[in-house]
Amino acid sequence: MTRQINIGFRAPSAAHLEERILQLETKVALLTHAVQALSRELHEHTDPPPVR
């Protein structure tokens, strides 16, 4: 059973890992931006209007 699982497995190359890290960093940046935008939108809807 273990032999069947290990057949065909290759360790990823350094270039592949670097590319994957860049992809994940991009996703994190996009998600961070989206969360900040949603947070601003939420505050706009929940904050009381300014007092004059």
Side-chain angles (χ1 to χ4, degrees):
M1 181 109 167
T2 302
R3 192 171 189 189
Q4 291 175 344
I5 292 171
N6 290 331
I7 291 174
F9 174 78
R10 291 183 301 174
S13 67
H16 178 77
L17 290 173
E18 287 178 15
E19 178 63 27
R20 187 67 181 132
I21 288 169
L22 287 174
Q23 291 172 355
L24 292 172
E25 286 176 339
T26 300
K27 285 185 178 183
V28 167
L30 291 171
L31 287 169
T32 300
H33 180 73
V35 167
Q36 289 172 346
L38 288 170
S39 179
R40 279 192 304 270
E41 188 175 328
L42 177 65
H43 286 298
E44 288 172 3
H45 287 26
T46 58
D47 286 345
V51 177
R52 290 189 173 174

